Amino acid sequence: MFDSRQRVIVFVFILVAFTMLARLFYMQVIDDSYKEAAANISLQRIVEYPYRGIIYDRKGRICVYNVPVYDVMVLPKEVKKNMDTLRFCSLFTITKEEFIKTMTAARTYSKVKPSPFIKQLSHTEFARIQDQLIDFPGFFISPRTVRGYDHPSMGVALGYIGEISAGKLDKLKAEGNNYYRSGDYIGIAGLENFYEEQLRGKRGVKFMMVDVNGIQKGHYKDGVFDTAAIRGENLHTSVDLELQKFGEELMINKKGSIICIDPKTGEILAMVSSPTYDPNLLRGREFSKNYMALQRDPLKPLFNRALMAPYPPGSIFKTLQALTALQEGVMDSNMTWPCVQDVVHCHPHPNPCNLRQSIQWSCNPYYLQVYRRIINQHVSGNTFLDTRIGYDKWHQYISSFGIGKKLGIDMPSEKKGILRTIAYYDRIYGEKHWKYSNVYSLSIGQGELGLSPLHMANMACILANRGYYYTPHFVRKIGDKGQPLPQYLERHQTMIRPEHFEAIVTGMKWAVLQGTVWSQARMKTVEICGKTGTAQNPHGKDHSIFICFAPKDNPKIAVATVVENSGFGGFVAAPIATLMVEKYLNDTISRQNLYKHMLTRDFIHKDTTEDGKGREAGKNH
Amino acid sequence: MARDEKLVKTIDLPLLFIYLTLLFMGWITIYASELDVNADTNAWDLNISSGRQLLFIGTSSILIILIMATDYKFYDVFSYFIFGAILLVLVAVLGIGKTVAGSKSWLGVGSFGVQPSEFAKFATSLALAKYLSNPLIRLDRWPDLNRALAIIAVPAILILLQNDTGSTLVFSAFVIPLFREGLPAWIPNLGVGVVFLFVLTLIIPEAWLLGAIGLLAVVFFFLIDKTINNIIALVVIALVVCGVVIGANFFINDVLQPHQQNRIKVLVNPNIDPLGVGWNVTQSKNAIGSGGFLGKGYLQGTQTKFDFVPEQSTDFIFCTIGEEFGFLGSILVCGLFLGMLWRLVYLADRQKMKFSRVYGYCVAAILFFHFTINIGMTVGLLPVIGIPLPFISYGGSSLWSFTILLFIFLKLDAHRGQMLAREAA
């Protein structure tokens, strides 16, 4: 009997041991859910944000850098109940209500995970509170970086970064871009936006082991699953920061733009959109407040006029009309035409003009004739049909100058401007119901035509290069040893052969020396070729426009200037442009009186019309 | 010295080997379970548990020498005396004991403390063995059985009064030596049946269970011979079973304290107390389950080290083994314990003296109970009852008491040749 009882007992021992082993086999070998659960609670995925790339100007001066800021974080679990709230509030200059509100929010989020308590303390603020923070257990400092600027310039060009919006996040997700997470910073405007992917670098991930209180205990598996953050690429822009500042200074109290481009490469040397804003306003803790203020400003400082505001080009457009006519062979450079003001007005000047003089004096009737010859080449007996054929051909020429389309600058929000197609006129007047008399204002750059200052600057480049351009761009090197984006190395040929430029370039030289340009704006040392324009503005005083390049041979800079509501091109836009040329080529300003005079001009707050007086009759110079 | 040499030859080497292996595993696992990766410590550091455990192992070897040096007849002769002394200490603990973690079970001088309840296990084993060694005792007779049960019940009740439920339950293990020595089989069978019903009441709502029992009774009614006796028996059994179910429900919901209720309910519903008992069991299972087949490697565990698992060096020490050594570690631990139990039973049955045999079964039963409850608790099969894993868990009192328990038997076994067969096995 006892023998069988021994066996029963041994059997029970074996049964229990194997039950345990079976259970353990299931838990440890078959069921993976425990492994996941264990990994979830003991591993913390920590994102390491890379350093955002720095932006330099063409001479290696820093335009944008990173500034360390310090977020005060709170771990609610570790905050002592009896902490000196009053002292804490006075230390950080917050009210007790704010303290309670933030604390409640942090507690609601998590008691054992840190939440930001006070964001973006500066270095000096951090230094002030650093020692005292140890008296407040549960509060600690988490450093990160924001953008910093040593200068108040280049606001619209640089753009700004900010927390990604929920809408943007959804949009990117829909496009299959899963890089960003809520709370990430992203470039929102300007270069920060266009070069976001290059600037941001690549986020790194650390898997840290944490204990039950969420306190880090070292790298998981000694870090074999960690990826290092890759810092963003630095951007080397072609901007000359000194020239930029100089341009912004000249545009104080003026609405409008200046764009300077190196015509040989398409590199932008300066881009001013005035009124401008200090990029320092859109960083740090005051972002929202300042952004709203800028947004509400009636002068629209956030609006990048240089890329987004279309103007009728006015008389600067005559250069393209002449080039098109020459290339089409409907005229030659010796053609003379009397200044007969039956259709368009003009202003007093030597009469009649040849091509060079027509540019020098900006004769309107001359271009009425030039454009007529382009449009009506009598290839068809039907005037309407003939106009269609001529207009279409002209459209091709003008398009080849980059007008009416986005040039493709390395900035978001470029506008294509206005250049109408045949279809547009068909729609307005009916097919074969329009002819030259319907479109003749285009001859002198008025009417259905809109060019951004960038388009105008690009025109200046084409004239400087005698027929080609490179797409204007800011970034000449991505990374410290890099290249620009490939599209910026591609040369765009217009439809005009180089030999046709000579008469026009000479006319532009004379326009500056002894033409429509204000005599004070002339430069003795450098041969500047320029063309004035005065764009009619139905809402107020005319816009003053000027394009130029210098020197005449082997040009180094091309400039377009638009000053809104300031009247005649030769008197406001031209002197500003030539000052830019002088600053860039000579680095010093010899014409101090002109410089000081231009600084005092104010076209926003008071209407200074002295230059326009007596010239109102003859617009479109 | 001659005597010692003889001892080495006569001591059971397989059991000694398993004992030493478990001690070594315990020591390295205690070090792993509380390792602070940021602190510069070593396993010998007396400021940490593994260092102190080494000290306990050292003192255990002194105990072993003392046990082996004592005449083997001492344990037989003085068994009641030892039992009585321990009972006095247990009573004393109720008066002057220190309360640790809710149990008033510690007797201490300064920082040094022991748990007398741990030593009550071997003392009760000795007393039970002594009582049953009387050839006139027969367990199928109620008076004898009651006396045997009283020997077990008195220390158990004293320990229960210390509010140490876990250690009290250990005394139920003595059913195994009683069974071995002739306890009528229906008693353990009834126990198993009651436990089975008890578990069923946890899983199935009371009304359903009662309905099912009634249905079963009706089915049996058609199957059995319809004699009066059989029908009465069927009705009585059905009523008793229903009574057990109702009683079990009453016991769980109205007798047990809420924390004890949860320990039981959490077995069938781990979400019942996710931050209390449920937390412990969940974390324990995560730790063991995440070990996989080969384990994460020694000192590479995260769940135990980073305090997710509570009591990771004492009651939940098996989590660290499971996490760092995986299923292979589980096999090793279960294998060692099964080997030890098997060997103990084998050795017990070759004893010529009934006293030694009963004592051997008591040792096996106590170790078996600890092993079952402890592992069962960590893998979520059994309620959380805080009792240590023998020889592995950190703690001086438990290590000493298990060492004494085991080595008294090894001493008795070493002298089995010298013993007179007082009674045929």
Short mmCIF file of all heavy atoms in Angstrom, two decimals, chain B residues 74-89 119-120 122-124 126-127 355 404 408:
data_model
loop_
_atom_site.label_atom_id
_atom_site.label_comp_id
_atom_site.label_asym_id
_atom_site.label_seq_id
_atom_site.Cartn_x
_atom_site.Cartn_y
_atom_site.Cartn_z
N PHE B 74 20.19 12.96 19.02
CA PHE B 74 19.73 14.20 19.63
C PHE B 74 18.37 14.64 19.08
O PHE B 74 17.46 15.01 19.80
CB PHE B 74 20.78 15.29 19.41
CG PHE B 74 20.31 16.67 19.81
CD1 PHE B 74 20.43 17.11 21.14
CD2 PHE B 74 19.78 17.54 18.87
CE1 PHE B 74 20.02 18.38 21.49
CE2 PHE B 74 19.36 18.81 19.22
CZ PHE B 74 19.48 19.24 20.54
N TYR B 75 18.24 14.56 17.72
CA TYR B 75 17.04 15.11 17.08
C TYR B 75 15.82 14.30 17.43
O TYR B 75 14.73 14.83 17.61
CB TYR B 75 17.24 15.17 15.56
CG TYR B 75 18.50 15.95 15.22
CD1 TYR B 75 19.65 15.30 14.80
CD2 TYR B 75 18.53 17.34 15.40
CE1 TYR B 75 20.80 16.00 14.54
CE2 TYR B 75 19.70 18.04 15.14
CZ TYR B 75 20.83 17.37 14.71
OH TYR B 75 21.95 18.07 14.48
N ASP B 76 16.03 13.00 17.53
CA ASP B 76 14.93 12.12 17.91
C ASP B 76 14.54 12.39 19.36
O ASP B 76 13.40 12.70 19.68
CB ASP B 76 15.39 10.67 17.71
CG ASP B 76 14.27 9.67 17.96
OD1 ASP B 76 13.18 10.11 18.37
OD2 ASP B 76 14.50 8.47 17.74
N VAL B 77 15.55 12.38 20.20
CA VAL B 77 15.31 12.48 21.63
C VAL B 77 14.76 13.85 22.01
O VAL B 77 13.82 13.97 22.80
CB VAL B 77 16.61 12.19 22.41
CG1 VAL B 77 16.41 12.47 23.92
CG2 VAL B 77 17.05 10.76 22.18
N PHE B 78 15.31 14.89 21.44
CA PHE B 78 14.93 16.24 21.85
C PHE B 78 13.87 16.89 20.97
O PHE B 78 13.64 18.10 21.06
CB PHE B 78 16.18 17.14 21.91
CG PHE B 78 17.03 16.88 23.10
CD1 PHE B 78 18.07 15.94 23.04
CD2 PHE B 78 16.80 17.55 24.30
CE1 PHE B 78 18.84 15.69 24.15
CE2 PHE B 78 17.60 17.29 25.41
CZ PHE B 78 18.62 16.36 25.34
N SER B 79 13.26 16.11 20.09
CA SER B 79 12.35 16.71 19.12
C SER B 79 11.20 17.48 19.78
O SER B 79 10.91 18.63 19.42
CB SER B 79 11.79 15.65 18.16
OG SER B 79 11.24 14.59 18.91
N TYR B 80 10.58 16.88 20.78
CA TYR B 80 9.48 17.58 21.45
C TYR B 80 9.99 18.81 22.18
O TYR B 80 9.31 19.84 22.24
CB TYR B 80 8.76 16.65 22.43
CG TYR B 80 7.84 15.65 21.75
CD1 TYR B 80 7.72 14.35 22.22
CD2 TYR B 80 7.08 16.05 20.66
CE1 TYR B 80 6.88 13.44 21.60
CE2 TYR B 80 6.23 15.14 20.04
CZ TYR B 80 6.13 13.85 20.50
OH TYR B 80 5.31 12.96 19.89
N PHE B 81 11.19 18.67 22.75
CA PHE B 81 11.76 19.79 23.47
C PHE B 81 11.99 20.99 22.53
O PHE B 81 11.63 22.13 22.83
CB PHE B 81 13.09 19.37 24.12
CG PHE B 81 13.74 20.47 24.89
CD1 PHE B 81 13.28 20.82 26.17
CD2 PHE B 81 14.79 21.20 24.35
CE1 PHE B 81 13.87 21.83 26.88
CE2 PHE B 81 15.39 22.22 25.05
CZ PHE B 81 14.92 22.54 26.34
N ILE B 82 12.55 20.68 21.35
CA ILE B 82 12.80 21.74 20.36
C ILE B 82 11.46 22.37 19.93
O ILE B 82 11.32 23.59 19.87
CB ILE B 82 13.53 21.16 19.12
CG1 ILE B 82 14.94 20.70 19.53
CG2 ILE B 82 13.61 22.19 18.00
CD1 ILE B 82 15.63 19.83 18.49
N PHE B 83 10.48 21.47 19.68
CA PHE B 83 9.15 21.95 19.25
C PHE B 83 8.55 22.88 20.31
O PHE B 83 8.07 23.99 20.01
CB PHE B 83 8.25 20.72 19.02
CG PHE B 83 6.88 21.05 18.54
CD1 PHE B 83 6.68 21.75 17.35
CD2 PHE B 83 5.75 20.65 19.27
CE1 PHE B 83 5.41 22.03 16.90
CE2 PHE B 83 4.47 20.94 18.81
CZ PHE B 83 4.32 21.63 17.62
N GLY B 84 8.63 22.45 21.57
CA GLY B 84 8.09 23.27 22.66
C GLY B 84 8.78 24.61 22.75
O GLY B 84 8.13 25.66 22.92
N ALA B 85 10.11 24.58 22.60
CA ALA B 85 10.87 25.84 22.69
C ALA B 85 10.42 26.80 21.59
O ALA B 85 10.20 28.00 21.84
CB ALA B 85 12.36 25.54 22.57
N ILE B 86 10.26 26.28 20.39
CA ILE B 86 9.85 27.13 19.28
C ILE B 86 8.45 27.70 19.49
O ILE B 86 8.18 28.87 19.22
CB ILE B 86 9.91 26.34 17.95
CG1 ILE B 86 11.37 26.14 17.51
CG2 ILE B 86 9.12 27.02 16.84
CD1 ILE B 86 12.04 27.39 16.99
N LEU B 87 7.56 26.85 20.05
CA LEU B 87 6.21 27.34 20.34
C LEU B 87 6.26 28.50 21.32
O LEU B 87 5.56 29.51 21.15
CB LEU B 87 5.33 26.22 20.90
CG LEU B 87 4.89 25.11 19.94
CD1 LEU B 87 3.96 24.13 20.64
CD2 LEU B 87 4.20 25.70 18.71
N LEU B 88 7.13 28.38 22.33
CA LEU B 88 7.27 29.47 23.29
C LEU B 88 7.75 30.74 22.60
O LEU B 88 7.26 31.84 22.87
CB LEU B 88 8.26 29.08 24.41
CG LEU B 88 7.72 28.09 25.46
CD1 LEU B 88 8.82 27.74 26.46
CD2 LEU B 88 6.53 28.71 26.17
N VAL B 89 8.73 30.56 21.70
CA VAL B 89 9.24 31.73 20.98
C VAL B 89 8.13 32.36 20.14
O VAL B 89 8.00 33.58 20.07
CB VAL B 89 10.45 31.35 20.11
CG1 VAL B 89 10.92 32.55 19.29
CG2 VAL B 89 11.59 30.84 20.97
N PHE B 119 11.66 28.89 11.58
CA PHE B 119 12.24 27.75 12.29
C PHE B 119 11.16 26.80 12.81
O PHE B 119 11.45 25.65 13.14
CB PHE B 119 13.13 28.25 13.43
CG PHE B 119 14.25 29.12 12.91
CD1 PHE B 119 14.14 30.49 12.85
CD2 PHE B 119 15.41 28.52 12.43
CE1 PHE B 119 15.16 31.26 12.35
CE2 PHE B 119 16.44 29.29 11.93
CZ PHE B 119 16.31 30.67 11.87
N ALA B 120 9.93 27.30 12.83
CA ALA B 120 8.83 26.43 13.27
C ALA B 120 8.64 25.27 12.31
O ALA B 120 8.12 24.22 12.68
CB ALA B 120 7.55 27.25 13.38
N PHE B 122 10.93 23.29 10.73
CA PHE B 122 11.70 22.07 11.02
C PHE B 122 11.32 21.53 12.40
O PHE B 122 11.32 20.32 12.63
CB PHE B 122 13.21 22.31 10.88
CG PHE B 122 13.91 22.82 12.11
CD1 PHE B 122 14.40 21.94 13.09
CD2 PHE B 122 14.10 24.18 12.29
CE1 PHE B 122 15.06 22.41 14.21
CE2 PHE B 122 14.76 24.65 13.41
CZ PHE B 122 15.23 23.77 14.37
N ALA B 123 10.96 22.45 13.31
CA ALA B 123 10.58 21.99 14.65
C ALA B 123 9.30 21.15 14.58
O ALA B 123 9.21 20.08 15.20
CB ALA B 123 10.39 23.19 15.56
N THR B 124 8.35 21.63 13.81
CA THR B 124 7.10 20.89 13.65
C THR B 124 7.35 19.56 12.95
O THR B 124 6.77 18.53 13.30
CB THR B 124 6.08 21.73 12.85
OG1 THR B 124 5.98 23.02 13.44
CG2 THR B 124 4.71 21.08 12.85
N LEU B 126 10.06 17.80 13.11
CA LEU B 126 10.65 16.89 14.10
C LEU B 126 9.57 16.32 15.02
O LEU B 126 9.53 15.12 15.28
CB LEU B 126 11.69 17.65 14.94
CG LEU B 126 13.05 17.92 14.30
CD1 LEU B 126 13.92 18.78 15.22
CD2 LEU B 126 13.75 16.61 13.97
N ALA B 127 8.68 17.21 15.48
CA ALA B 127 7.65 16.78 16.42
C ALA B 127 6.70 15.78 15.76
O ALA B 127 6.35 14.75 16.35
CB ALA B 127 6.88 17.99 16.93
N PHE B 355 11.07 7.46 12.27
CA PHE B 355 11.28 8.88 12.57
C PHE B 355 11.99 9.59 11.41
O PHE B 355 11.57 10.65 10.95
CB PHE B 355 12.13 9.00 13.86
CG PHE B 355 12.56 10.41 14.16
CD1 PHE B 355 11.67 11.31 14.73
CD2 PHE B 355 13.86 10.84 13.88
CE1 PHE B 355 12.06 12.59 15.02
CE2 PHE B 355 14.25 12.13 14.15
CZ PHE B 355 13.35 13.01 14.73
N ILE B 404 18.83 24.13 8.01
CA ILE B 404 18.65 23.26 9.18
C ILE B 404 17.71 22.11 8.82
O ILE B 404 18.00 20.93 9.07
CB ILE B 404 18.08 24.07 10.36
CG1 ILE B 404 19.12 25.08 10.85
CG2 ILE B 404 17.70 23.15 11.51
CD1 ILE B 404 18.54 26.14 11.80
N ILE B 408 19.42 18.38 8.87
CA ILE B 408 19.05 17.41 9.91
C ILE B 408 18.72 16.08 9.23
O ILE B 408 19.14 15.01 9.68
CB ILE B 408 17.86 17.91 10.75
CG1 ILE B 408 18.32 19.05 11.66
CG2 ILE B 408 17.29 16.78 11.62
CD1 ILE B 408 17.20 19.69 12.46
#
